[in-house]
Amino acid sequence: MLAPFDIDSITGLTEHVASERLRQEGYNELPSTKQRSLFAIAVDVVREPMFLLLVACGTLYLFLGDVQEAIMLLGFVFVVVGITLYQERKPERALEALRDLSSPRALVIRDGKQKRIPGREVVRGDVIVLNEGDRVPADAALLSCINFSVDESLLTGESLAVRKKENAGITAMGKPGGEDLPYVFSGTLVVSGQGIAQALATGAATEIGKIGKALQSVQIEETPLQKETGTVVRKLALIGAGFCALVIIVYGLTRGDWLHGFLAGITLAMALLPEEFPVVLTIFLALGAWRLSQKRVLTRRVPAVETLGSATVLCVDKTGTITQNRMSVSRMYAQGEFFDIASGAAKSIPEQFHELVEFSILASQKDPFDPMEKAFRELGDNFLSRTEHLHDDWTLVREYPLSTNLMALSHVWKSPRGSDYVIAAKGSPEAIADLCHLDEEQRRELTATIESMARDGLRILGVAKSYFTLTDLPGEQHAFPFQFLGLAGLADPVRPGVAEAVKECHTAGIRVAMITGDYPGTAAHIAGQIGLLHRGDIITGPELDAMDEATLLRRIRTVNIFARVVPEQKLRIVNALKAVGEVVAMTGDGVNDAPALKAAHIGIAMGGRGTDVAREASALVLLDDDFSSIVQAVRMGRRIFDNLRKAIAYIFAVHVPIAGLSLIPVLFKWPLVLLPVHIVFLELIIDPACSVVFEAEPEEADVMTRPPRRPDAPLFGKRTVGISLLQGLSVLVILLGVFLVALSRGQSEDDARTLTFTTLIFANLGLIFANRSWSRTIVDTLRSPNAALWWVTSGAILFLGMALYLPFLQKLFRFSLLHPIDVVICVGGGAVSILWFELLKLANGRKRALAV
């Protein structure tokens, strides 16, 4: 309950009214978040070098009088533009979906029920429940609040949070800045307390909308891979420009035909230009983020997709991530005795435990959201519903929140029939013992009790009570004369599948470190359930504070359990792991977790219970707060990088024979093999192959049985580039052999071109099949489904057949009729060109089998 409002009495808008208002006034978002139009994407495509080269070729054909060739080539331009638009829209649509998911969430009251919705769906008039760590979704007036302060630096530039005060009669918004005002503004952050507010303005009508600030959670960022690719593309473009000039000069001087020389030069430039690289990277990273969202993992920063495969340590919270965050009170301790509830056999609670349950409920919210507080409420409803120990008619006067100095909170209540204040406190047993001023003997006895409960994996809270008669309430909890009531042990079962996921991480060379605020005994019990390594070695929060940096760096290499840790200590843990060379993924959910989430290589916020502050500091958001989802994300990250490397290898390999066939005939005064129309035909296969076929490729069998890749491992590594060049050179040798043999047999230029190009198409398809896996043969990979592969393959063969046997296309491509025996030769040549690579896979497979 938030005084003076009873949250249960608020109905808010009806769903019908909210839907109608959303339809009339639009989504609660700024105009700058609108998607890029197709026209804008088309303009970007027109600026691409490949597009300009195609237009230049078409223009040259018009000068040469080849009208049909020019029309055909310019027609292909539109096909290529269409494919490019489709490829560009795929990541655009994926990122739009992610932006919607990553929009700050809002807890609203509609039809009398609390409902969590995307912030963009908040409408004017919505009643919003605001908690510490939330980002305010709309400009609103506070109806009720407790200890409420907001960071408005986004609007005012003032770094200090401002205190807020409720005023239920507000109908119009004021301006940001100033203390004790009842206004909260869209985009600002709740630093402390709780409040209920009514939205008065949304979208462009908010204060942030008026000053034109753009808030976009998911952005297309330039990743390290994109920077690396940009460097490679620039180098290859310079090499291509040099060779292009060389071809034009050589052709013009040796053959005296400068127009055809320019045509040959442009053909070579098109052959050398690796324009697929940036497209492939954009598509893989954006669709990778989309695929992760299907695994209930939201990508807020696209570079995280490429970093996932490098993670060596996963630092995870226990509660809600490893466990289900569905707590129930399992055991209680009061007046020197235990009482077990977990068996389910109890029909009632002994009298001596009634007060413990009563004050644990009074120290919780009346309409709890926190699983622990829900457990206390459920316990009271089950066993004390017809007693005097439940107080739904009492008024909450004040709340003393948790602090870093005292891990306990207190609620001050006023009874309608009494004059005294009643104070209920709950928190860590040490903090409650401190509030109750227990002596050394009492503390020793309490410690022994706590350890016995912790060994069973229970989360333990202390409860205390106090009464106060003075008019003015003190400023801190220590001023109350608290009396210790007892301990409550809460059970939180481990999520199904966590033990298997932890084992999978260990197999993949990834450490799992559990960080919890619970006792070492509780942490060790849970660690045993999930199979955590080195679970006998534990670092506690107090030990961490007392530890010097050298000792921490030595111990952190092996310790996987951190107990009694406060959120502020997570940052030191992250920095220590980074200092010893680990690639760290860190989970968090609170405001105080934000520094650690930002410092980690991969910050992971909890989507269910996490604050908006934690979400914004993170790279990933677990929509279901499940540890297994993190492991699935790592698996997906490794798969994405593997497939990206396959696509890059294929692009390198296929461009070698294309460039070779464009350059060598010019240098040796042979008839030209490839013309611009042939390059465009090849692009119709290469583009979808590298961006669709390889992106959809299933993961390798060893994806989670090999160690993490080095974070600095280049995409264009020596091995990748070397094998790709060898693949391309072997294809080029076969193609030159086919071309020269045809000419030596006295066949015409068109015959030689037809045989060579057809062989190139089948070799190209062979490269696609061969690069699906660098460890499994083509026969093995055929068992792995990939619908896109068969669409591209069948489309390539269909178009090739049309070009070979339709007279109109045959003339445009300057082909001759290909006989069945010729087709067999071409298929055989294409197969032979990649045979060595398949034999290499078999040899490596035997070596691995012998090693095992």
Side-chain angles (χ1 to χ4, degrees):
M1 171 177 162
L2 297 171
F5 266 75
D6 180 358
I7 198 169
D8 295 326
S9 68
I10 302 173
T11 59
L13 298 178
T14 65
E15 285 292 347
H16 174 73
V17 170
S19 299
E20 186 63 24
R21 198 163 287 177
L22 186 66
R23 185 183 66 80
Q24 292 175 353
E25 300 181 3
Y27 283 107
N28 177 33
E29 58 189 5
L30 303 180
S32 57
T33 62
K34 286 182 179 177
Q35 67 186 58
R36 222 167 33 132
S37 66
L38 276 174
F39 177 76
I41 298 173
V43 169
D44 289 341
V45 171
V46 169
R47 295 173 181 166
E48 289 293 324
M50 182 62 78
F51 180 89
L52 297 175
L53 288 172
L54 286 170
V55 172
C57 285
T59 305
L60 279 174
Y61 274 121
L62 286 175
F63 273 111
L64 291 168
D66 293 334
V67 178
Q68 286 184 330
E69 192 96 19
I71 293 172
M72 182 69 178
L73 199 61
L74 293 174
F76 269 130
V77 167
F78 290 103
V79 175
V80 171
V81 169
I83 291 174
T84 308
L85 284 174
Y86 171 73
Q87 289 176 324
E88 289 278 349
R89 283 298 296 145
K90 282 177 71 178
E92 286 275 330
R93 283 193 295 268
L95 289 173
E96 285 160 20
L98 295 181
R99 288 189 188 102
D100 292 345
L101 279 173
S102 64
S103 163
R105 304 153 308 153
L107 185 61
V108 299
I109 300 175
R110 288 184 181 171
D111 292 317
K113 296 178 182 177
Q114 294 188 40
K115 181 181 180 182
R116 196 169 289 279
I117 63 173
R120 67 194 297 266
E121 294 179 10
V122 171
V123 298
R124 186 174 48 81
D126 259 328
V127 176
I128 308 164
V129 180
L130 296 169
N131 293 291
E132 179 179 313
D134 287 348
R135 187 172 285 283
V136 180
D139 285 6
L142 282 168
L143 305 176
S144 175
C145 63
I146 297 176
N147 299 327
F148 200 74
S149 59
V150 178
D151 176 1
E152 294 183 346
S153 57
L154 183 70
L155 298 172
T156 64
E158 293 294 331
S159 58
L160 294 177
V162 292
R163 188 174 61 250
K164 295 293 180 179
K165 182 176 171 183
E166 74 268 7
N167 186 337
I170 296 294
T171 58
M173 290 299 299
K175 293 294 181 183
E179 297 277 351
D180 294 326
L181 294 174
Y183 314 113
V184 289
F185 298 91
S186 177
T188 60
L189 290 170
V190 180
V191 173
S192 64
Q194 297 171 305
I196 298 176
Q198 186 166 34
L200 299 181
T202 61
T206 61
E207 198 67 28
I208 198 171
K210 291 174 186 174
I211 61 176
K213 297 267 186 178
L215 295 176
Q216 291 185 343
S217 297
V218 180
Q219 299 175 354
I220 305 174
E221 306 170 27
E222 188 172 74
T223 71
L225 288 183
Q226 286 171 325
K227 292 176 183 176
E228 181 188 355
T229 302
T231 302
V232 171
V233 169
R234 282 191 293 273
K235 288 179 180 177
L236 289 176
L238 288 173
I239 293 170
F243 276 113
C244 175
L246 176 66
V247 164
I248 293 171
I249 293 169
V250 170
Y251 198 103
L253 291 175
T254 59
R255 309 192 190 193
D257 188 346
W258 290 95
L259 273 179
H260 279 94
F262 272 103
L263 205 57
I266 291 174
T267 302
L268 179 61
M270 291 168 63
L272 283 172
L273 187 67
E275 50 92 23
E276 299 93 353
F277 284 155
V279 174
V280 164
L281 272 176
T282 302
I283 288 175
F284 270 61
L285 294 179
L287 290 186
W290 176 78
R291 288 187 188 278
L292 283 172
S293 73
Q294 307 305 296
K295 301 287 185 184
R296 307 292 294 159
V297 179
L298 169 64
T299 306
R300 295 195 66 259
R301 293 185 176 86
V302 173
V305 174
E306 68 184 63
T307 311
L308 273 170
S310 303
T312 60
V313 177
L314 300 182
C315 296
V316 294
D317 290 316
K318 176 183 76 67
T319 303
T321 307
I322 290 174
T323 61
Q324 296 181 22
N325 207 22
R326 293 177 183 170
M327 293 189 173
S328 59
V329 180
S330 176
R331 184 182 300 173
M332 293 186 291
Y333 173 81
Q335 300 179 26
E337 294 186 16
F338 288 102
F339 179 71
D340 286 321
I341 308 170
S343 64
K347 302 291 185 193
S348 62
I349 295 176
E351 183 68 33
Q352 68 195 72
F353 295 96
H354 284 195
E355 208 170 29
L356 173 61
V357 178
E358 174 186 1
F359 278 84
S360 68
I361 294 170
L362 287 173
S364 305
Q365 297 296 325
K366 253 196 172 177
D367 186 22
F369 186 73
D370 181 89
M372 280 193 301
E373 297 189 344
K374 283 183 176 179
F376 289 130
R377 170 60 68 177
E378 183 179 345
L379 182 65
D381 290 342
N382 289 341
F383 293 102
L384 301 179
S385 59
R386 293 186 178 86
T387 70
E388 73 280 7
H389 294 290
L390 299 185
H391 309 287
D392 290 333
D393 59 338
W394 284 17
T395 303
L396 181 62
V397 177
R398 182 168 176 178
E399 177 179 337
Y400 293 87
L402 289 165
S403 69
T404 54
N405 298 322
L406 184 68
M407 297 298 289
L409 62 83
S410 297
H411 284 178
V412 181
W413 297 88
K414 197 72 180 290
S415 164
R417 294 168 294 280
S419 57
D420 289 353
Y421 293 111
V422 180
I423 302 97
K426 77 172 189 294
S428 71
E430 300 96 329
I432 296 298
D434 185 27
L435 285 176
C436 297
H437 305 292
L438 300 185
D439 59 32
E440 285 302 315
E441 180 61 31
Q442 290 171 318
R443 286 176 184 266
R444 277 196 296 271
E445 181 184 335
L446 183 64
T447 300
T449 304
I450 290 166
E451 287 176 353
S452 71
M453 296 174 75
R455 280 194 291 272
D456 293 330
L458 300 179
R459 184 168 188 178
I460 306 155
L461 290 179
V463 181
K465 70 173 183 178
S466 183
Y467 299 94
F468 199 74
T469 57
L470 299 179
T471 305
D472 295 328
L473 291 171
E476 59 179 22
Q477 299 177 69
H478 274 291
F480 296 113
F482 279 107
Q483 175 188 343
F484 182 76
L485 293 178
L487 301 172
L490 296 105
D492 188 7
V494 171
R495 286 181 181 268
V498 168
E500 292 79 4
V502 169
K503 184 179 179 181
E504 190 174 12
C505 284
H506 293 158
T507 305
I510 303 170
R511 281 174 59 192
V512 179
M514 182 172 69
I515 301 175
T516 177
D518 277 347
Y519 279 88
T522 306
H525 180 85
I526 298 296
Q529 286 185 278
I530 64 173
L532 210 63
L533 296 178
H534 310 298
R535 52 183 175 271
D537 197 2
I538 300 174
I539 294 178
T540 65
E543 289 173 349
L544 189 63
D545 282 339
M547 204 176 286
D548 62 56
E549 204 63 25
T551 305
L552 176 60
L553 293 180
R554 176 175 53 80
R555 292 197 61 194
I556 206 156
R557 295 176 186 272
T558 55
V559 174
N560 291 329
I561 301 177
F562 300 85
R564 304 308 278 166
V565 169
V566 295
E568 289 81 357
Q569 292 173 321
K570 284 186 177 183
L571 179 60
R572 192 176 179 204
I573 294 170
V574 168
N575 287 334
L577 287 167
K578 289 168 68 176
V580 297
E582 304 283 9
V583 178
V584 186
M586 165 70 75
T587 67
D589 59 6
V591 176
N592 293 333
D593 291 331
L597 291 173
K598 271 191 174 293
H601 296 100
I602 310 166
I604 306 171
M606 301 296 104
R609 69 181 189 275
T611 62
D612 284 329
V613 176
R615 286 162 63 97
E616 291 179 10
S618 66
L620 301 175
V621 178
L622 295 187
L623 298 178
D624 54 8
D625 295 3
D626 190 347
F627 172 76
S628 300
S629 297
I630 305 176
V631 182
Q632 289 299 316
V634 171
R635 175 187 287 272
M636 183 67 70
R638 291 188 175 193
R639 172 197 160 182
I640 290 166
F641 194 86
D642 281 353
N643 289 347
L644 188 55
R645 184 170 276 167
K646 293 172 188 176
I648 294 297
Y650 163 71
I651 293 169
F652 260 120
V654 78
H655 273 277
V656 171
I658 298 172
L661 289 179
S662 301
L663 175 64
I664 293 173
V666 173
L667 297 180
F668 289 93
K669 295 185 69 174
W670 298 342
L672 293 182
V673 180
L674 297 181
L675 302 172
V677 69
H678 300 129
I679 304 294
V680 175
F681 183 99
L682 288 165
E683 286 297 324
L684 295 180
I685 302 173
I686 296 169
D687 277 359
C690 61
S691 60
V692 178
V693 173
F694 288 108
E695 195 281 327
E697 191 62 29
E699 65 197 34
E700 294 282 352
D702 68 340
V703 70
M704 290 298 279
T705 58
R706 60 177 186 253
R709 68 177 178 85
R710 294 194 340 269
D712 59 346
L715 181 61
F716 301 90
K718 291 180 180 178
R719 181 170 179 267
T720 302
V721 175
I723 291 179
S724 300
L725 290 176
L726 281 175
Q727 286 181 340
L729 286 171
S730 65
V731 172
L732 178 59
V733 168
I734 295 294
L735 295 176
L736 290 174
V738 170
F739 184 69
L740 292 175
V741 167
L743 290 178
S744 66
R745 291 174 55 193
Q747 291 180 271
S748 69
E749 179 182 321
D750 286 352
D751 288 340
R753 180 181 297 110
T754 307
L755 284 166
T756 306
F757 186 79
T758 304
T759 307
L760 174 57
I761 294 297
F762 284 110
N764 185 2
L765 294 176
L767 287 173
I768 296 172
F769 278 87
N771 281 289
R772 288 183 69 197
S773 174
W774 280 20
S775 58
R776 295 178 296 152
T777 64
I778 291 176
V779 175
D780 292 331
T781 58
L782 288 176
R783 301 189 189 103
S784 301
N786 188 331
L789 171 70
W790 299 111
W791 279 107
V792 170
T793 303
S794 56
I797 294 173
L798 175 64
F799 287 138
L800 177 63
M802 292 169 62
L804 289 173
Y805 298 109
L806 291 180
F808 170 70
L809 291 177
Q810 194 182 86
K811 182 180 179 183
L812 284 175
F813 279 86
R814 300 185 187 177
F815 286 163
S816 62
L817 186 66
L818 206 61
H819 299 95
I821 187 64
D822 297 326
V823 174
V824 172
I825 292 171
C826 294
V827 173
V832 169
S833 67
I834 52 125
L835 182 62
W836 69 270
F837 189 51
E838 293 301 295
L839 294 174
L840 181 64
K841 292 181 192 177
L842 284 172
N844 288 335
R846 288 199 186 97
K847 284 182 184 177
R848 283 194 296 270
L850 290 172
V852 173

